[in-house]
Amino acid sequence: MAETHDAIPAPRAASAASAASAASAASATRAKGAAGTAAGTAGTSGAIPEIPNGPTFPVLPPSEQDELARRLRSAVSGFVDAPRDAVEEADLLLDELSGRLAELLADRRRTLRDAWRENESGTVRTEDLRLAMRGYRNVLDRLLSI
C-alpha cells in the first residue's frame, strides 16, 4: 500500500484536558454504540447486527481500546513533568495500535475471502458474493472515514 503523507492532516497542539476530553468522548461514543448493538442483538443469540453496508465488526475489543486510551491519557498528562518519556510512550502506543489493527484487518480479510471462495464443486453462489461485497464495503468505508 503506497503511503500518501499529504492526505494526513498536520497534528494540532492539544492540552492534556482536551486529550482527556477526546478520550472520554470516544469512550462515551463506544459505550453508546455498544448499547445500541446490544439492543439490536437482543433475542438473536449474539448475532452481529446488520447495517446497510453489511455487518459491523469491532475494530478493537473494548478492553484493548480502553487500555490504550488510558495509556494515552497517562502519557499526555505526564508530558509536563517528563516530555521525552511521554512522547516515547505515545510512539510506542502508535506502534502497538498500528500493528494490532493490521492483524485485525488481515483476519477480517481472510474471513471475507473464505466467504466467497469457490466450494468443492467449483462454484460460488451469487448470494455469497453479495454478502462478501457488503462486508468489503463496510470495512473499506470505515477505513476511508479515518
Side-chain angles (χ1 to χ4, degrees):
M1 175 192 259
E3 288 187 13
T4 56
H5 297 287
D6 53 328
I8 300 172
R12 289 182 268 167
S15 68
S18 66
S21 173
S24 294
S27 292
T29 301
R30 224 177 30 261
K32 188 177 188 182
T37 299
T41 60
T44 61
S45 66
I48 296 174
E50 292 287 327
I51 59 172
N53 292 334
T56 61
F57 67 97
V59 176
L60 279 178
S63 61
E64 284 183 52
Q65 189 167 351
D66 291 344
E67 176 60 18
L68 290 170
R70 183 198 62 73
R71 288 174 56 197
L72 176 59
R73 284 190 306 273
S74 176
V76 170
S77 66
F79 181 82
V80 172
D81 294 329
R84 183 172 185 87
D85 292 343
V87 171
E88 287 175 353
E89 176 65 9
D91 182 63
L92 179 62
L93 285 169
L94 181 58
D95 185 52
E96 287 178 28
L97 180 57
S98 60
R100 184 66 174 122
L101 290 175
E103 289 172 16
L104 292 169
L105 285 169
D107 289 345
R108 182 64 176 156
R109 183 174 183 220
R110 267 190 297 279
T111 300
L112 287 168
R113 290 178 112 192
D114 290 346
W116 63 268
R117 294 291 180 157
E118 294 179 356
N119 59 25
E120 297 82 35
S121 66
T123 61
V124 178
R125 296 179 331 150
T126 303
E127 178 64 8
D128 293 335
L129 293 169
R130 184 185 73 79
L131 292 173
M133 180 56 80
R134 287 177 62 192
Y136 280 109
R137 184 176 63 187
N138 177 257
V139 172
L140 292 167
D141 282 346
R142 288 181 75 176
L143 289 173
L144 290 169
S145 72
I146 294 176

